[in-house]
Amino acid sequence: MSPAQGPVLADSSQSARGNVADVTDPAAALARPGDPGWWRTGVVYQIYPRSFADSTGDGVGDLPGIIEHLDHLAGPDGLGVEAIWLSPIYPSPGLDGGYDVADYSAIDPLFGSMDDFDRLIKEAHRRGLRVLLDLVLNHTSDRHPWFEASRASRTGPEADWYIWRDPAGTHRSGRPIPPNNWLSFFGGSAWQWDEGRRQFYLHTFLAQQPDLNWREPFVQEAVFGMVRGWLRRGVDGFRLDVFNALLKSSDLASNPPGRRLARSPWQRQRHLHDKDQADLLPLLALFRSMVDEAPGRMTVGELFAGDIGQAVALTRPGHLVFDFELLGQPWSAASFRRTIAERERAFGEAWPTVVLSNHDQSRHVSRFLRTLGRQDQRTHDAVAKAAAVLLLTLRGTPFVYYGEEIGLPDIRVPNALAIDPPARRASWRFPWWNRDRCRSPMPWTGDPGAGFTTGRPWLPFSPDHVTRNVARQAEDSDSVLATYRRLLRLRAATPALHGGGLRLIPSPGEDVLAYERELDGGRAVVAINFGLRRFVWAPPPGSWKVALSTGPRAVGSPLGDTPRAPQLEPLEALIALEG
Ligand code: GLC
């Protein structure tokens, strides 16, 4: 049976066709034949659409809001990023902030319409900005018509589109026993009993996020059709949500025990069978060949609970992988030195990503201030700037999470008031961090509503938003925002900084991290003082001039050939170029 014959497939291909027929401006796509890969030189900016800018006054960000603020990102006064990645914008019950997709081929009315989307692509491309969508392919919402059809019948065309299994037996109480010991990352068993089918279905995340069965060819066909539709609409690439979990072992064997003392039950298993299967590689290759049908497109896969080695093994030309080792480090030069050395060793010639914050974790400025035991605004800004130098000068493609360019901190949302679903069920048995804290609305101005909304924001603003906002920082040449702008321009103009190799330099004290970047003889040196004391620090031999300093050092001043070795001020980060 061909996919178009099943009723649900007919629906889905219909919407995919809708996607294709309405192609707005494919010629505007920024693909440049022969381009070695813009993602290796540029920086990607992650937008959490609910929290970026609200144009309707309902308190939730939307696509027209993003369009209104594109000049913040690109153009003469913009940050200077190369691409935006939008967290999911598809229709969704919103139980996991849109990572529970009910229709892959449409726009959630909460965020606007397909016309708004086409306008976003056009306006972004007009500014030289590329657009990446978030593809959540491991699971759908339980409201997706595919799941509704799959749940409705054991024999229908969609019966095997999800992972259904008979119970392993029946408890004395009469309760059915799940097919194996797999656990949901969001707490409890990964199996949900369905009274209708009298079978369990698998959900790696919420019970309302059933896992698709990627061993079913029709699933592949339907998803690929949908992806092609977005590509034809002018999308430049995708972030692939938890992509290493797409395939599970076909015999669904139970996982062996893992770290006995780990905090959560999920971590106390070794996940040998519910993710990271060998046939992910051919599936990825197939997916890439579709994306590569036109040049200039990139993908980045989110590694679900994996390490650097796995990230390297899954990295391909044009396909990057998020490993979260850097994101896990405290504000310590020694920890970053160790992690950078390990990553450089593991990645070799392969191209890494550089991530300090995203929509799932505490924002890095808040994490780092906790390590330092400081909360004052001066230290806050100094840490945000020094971390920006780190993020934007390491080897790899940096990802900036909205708000970090003004040093936006976490907000406090008690679990009892949490919107994030796993946080609502957190307990000592299921430890969970509240992800609401890193999703607060972007403060554009110090006005009521922060220039974000005229209504009531869906999450509170950060308490310092009256003083910490885009408008205020745009006027201050010493702000975090001004530092990001300078850094992004310097990075773009300096091949060693965006394309060079990286060599760690031994440092004089444990609080200093220093490294050199080099490409075709062009050299840049970066030094960051993580501590609150001054340090004498000498660059490697050469004639160095300061290109950027987050301290008082003047741009263009020589470094290293003064009678006394230069001192790094507390929390100062500097970049010097040779010549
Ligand atoms: C990814 C997303 C996260 C989501 C989960 C399930 O980890 O980043 O926000 O909850 O996948 O889709």
Side-chain angles (χ1 to χ4, degrees):
M1 181 191 278
S2 96
Q5 285 175 294
V8 173
L9 272 163
D11 272 2
S12 73
S13 59
Q14 198 96 70
S15 34
R17 262 206 304 279
N19 235 344
V20 176
D22 286 342
V23 172
T24 47
D25 193 5
L30 297 180
R32 294 177 208 127
D35 188 338
W38 55 265
W39 50 90
R40 288 184 63 132
T41 47
V43 172
V44 181
Y45 183 96
Q46 180 188 357
I47 292 180
Y48 196 69
R50 278 176 166 66
S51 298
F52 198 62
D54 165 25
S55 72
T56 60
D58 66 355
V60 180
D62 48 46
L63 299 183
I66 297 175
I67 296 170
E68 271 169 40
H69 289 283
L70 286 177
D71 288 336
H72 170 67
L73 303 172
D77 297 324
L79 263 182
V81 295
E82 188 79 26
I84 51 176
W85 143 35
L86 307 179
S87 281
I89 51 173
Y90 320 101
S92 159
L95 293 181
D96 186 17
Y99 284 87
D100 45 331
V101 178
D103 179 353
Y104 287 114
S105 301
I107 303 294
D108 194 323
L110 190 65
F111 298 128
S113 64
M114 198 52 100
D115 284 348
D116 294 326
F117 180 77
D118 290 339
R119 204 155 55 82
L120 172 61
I121 292 271
K122 211 167 170 170
E123 288 296 319
H125 284 179
R126 198 163 66 75
R127 290 167 174 81
L129 200 59
R130 307 166 198 257
V131 180
L132 310 179
L133 289 187
D134 210 318
L135 280 183
V136 190
L137 303 181
N138 177 69
H139 45 267
T140 67
S141 158
D142 62 348
R143 306 278 182 81
H144 196 294
W146 296 347
F147 186 73
E148 285 173 350
S150 188
R151 162 180 256 174
S153 155
R154 282 193 191 208
T155 52
E158 300 80 15
D160 295 330
W161 284 40
Y162 293 80
I163 302 175
W164 293 96
R165 280 297 180 280
D166 291 333
T170 313
H171 276 289
R172 250 180 291 153
S173 64
R175 240 177 336 114
I177 300 173
N180 64 24
N181 70 352
W182 295 359
L183 295 173
S184 157
F185 191 65
F186 285 169
S189 167
W191 295 97
Q192 176 71 29
W193 177 251
D194 183 78
E195 265 309 323
R197 269 184 72 145
R198 301 204 58 75
Q199 279 184 313
F200 283 97
Y201 68 85
L202 181 71
H203 59 94
T204 303
F205 296 93
L206 296 176
Q208 296 87 349
Q209 291 170 299
D211 283 33
L212 280 164
N213 177 11
W214 274 88
R215 299 191 192 285
E216 162 62 58
F218 290 142
V219 165
Q220 198 167 304
E221 211 168 307
V223 169
F224 279 30
M226 166 279 283
V227 172
R228 281 208 164 85
W230 288 115
L231 288 172
R232 295 209 188 100
R233 269 206 123 84
V235 164
D236 301 284
F238 303 99
R239 178 242 189 208
L240 307 178
D241 191 64
V242 298
F243 80 118
N244 56 319
L246 291 189
L247 290 157
K248 342 285 176 194
S249 69
S250 29
D251 62 0
L252 303 189
S254 277
N255 283 322
R259 288 181 290 143
R260 221 158 38 90
L261 298 178
R263 278 187 75 211
S264 80
W266 195 89
Q267 290 167 329
R268 293 198 286 271
Q269 286 191 355
R270 281 184 68 205
H271 294 274
L272 291 187
H273 301 296
D274 51 354
K275 60 186 194 70
D276 300 314
Q277 299 304 298
D279 46 352
L280 177 65
L281 287 175
L283 179 62
L284 189 60
L286 207 63
F287 187 84
R288 271 308 315 184
S289 61
M290 169 178 59
V291 172
D292 283 334
E293 281 165 13
R297 292 156 169 182
M298 68 93 82
T299 49
V300 53
E302 181 207 24
L303 194 66
F304 175 43
D307 59 19
I308 301 178
Q310 282 164 284
V312 176
L314 293 169
T315 300
R316 296 284 178 277
H319 176 74
L320 311 181
V321 177
F322 288 138
D323 74 280
F324 294 123
E325 293 299 318
L326 289 171
L327 193 146
Q329 300 311 312
W331 186 244
S332 143
S335 306
F336 275 104
R337 193 177 308 118
R338 220 177 308 114
T339 309
I340 293 165
E342 204 183 325
R343 276 168 48 103
E344 284 302 309
R345 237 189 339 265
F347 273 92
E349 294 286 296
W351 195 251
T353 57
V354 186
V355 184
L356 294 179
S357 284
N358 66 23
H359 64 291
D360 288 329
Q361 303 292 336
S362 172
R363 285 179 175 272
H364 65 253
V365 72
S366 297
R367 278 188 278 128
F368 295 159
L369 284 168
R370 278 198 292 277
T371 317
L372 272 175
R374 291 284 187 101
Q375 290 302 332
D376 62 286
Q377 294 296 314
R378 227 180 116 97
T379 311
H380 185 127
D381 281 2
V383 167
K385 291 176 193 173
V389 171
L390 180 69
L391 175 80
L392 296 167
T393 61
L394 286 178
R395 194 175 73 87
T397 301
F399 286 73
V400 171
Y401 182 49
Y402 86 94
E404 72 170 65
E405 72 274 32
I406 56 168
L408 196 64
D410 283 346
I411 51 167
R412 268 174 226 257
V413 180
N415 277 355
L417 300 177
I419 293 177
D420 182 29
R424 292 162 69 100
R425 67 202 292 192
S427 70
W428 64 271
R429 270 141 71 84
F430 172 59
W432 187 264
W433 60 100
N434 185 346
R435 296 179 298 175
D436 297 342
R437 67 185 169 182
C438 60
R439 298 173 177 177
S440 73
M442 181 80 160
W444 295 99
T445 67
D447 305 328
F452 167 78
T453 185
T454 53
R456 195 182 129 94
W458 76 287
L459 274 177
F461 293 113
S462 138
D464 61 357
H465 74 276
V466 177
T467 49
R468 186 176 295 284
N469 57 62
V470 174
R472 175 77 80 96
Q473 293 201 11
E475 281 163 13
D476 173 2
S477 63
D478 193 33
S479 64
V480 178
L481 180 60
T483 305
Y484 266 83
R485 284 183 181 160
R486 276 198 289 275
L487 255 169
L488 274 146
R489 276 168 182 65
L490 177 63
R491 188 181 184 281
T494 314
L497 281 180
H498 61 245
L502 183 146
R503 188 176 67 83
L504 285 163
I505 302 172
S507 39
E510 59 178 27
D511 278 345
V512 175
L513 171 70
Y515 45 90
E516 212 181 310
R517 303 287 313 273
E518 202 248 298
L519 186 72
D520 301 333
R523 295 204 295 162
V525 72
V526 180
I528 302 168
N529 182 357
F530 281 62
L532 299 173
R533 283 181 305 142
R534 285 206 177 118
F535 263 103
V536 172
W537 175 79
S543 151
W544 300 99
K545 286 216 172 60
V546 173
L548 184 142
S549 157
T550 66
R553 215 173 297 274
V555 169
S557 60
L559 190 74
D561 56 358
T562 48
R564 281 192 320 126
Q567 296 211 327
L568 285 178
E569 297 295 320
L571 297 173
E572 179 183 358
L574 71 81
I575 304 172
L577 304 182
E578 204 179 26

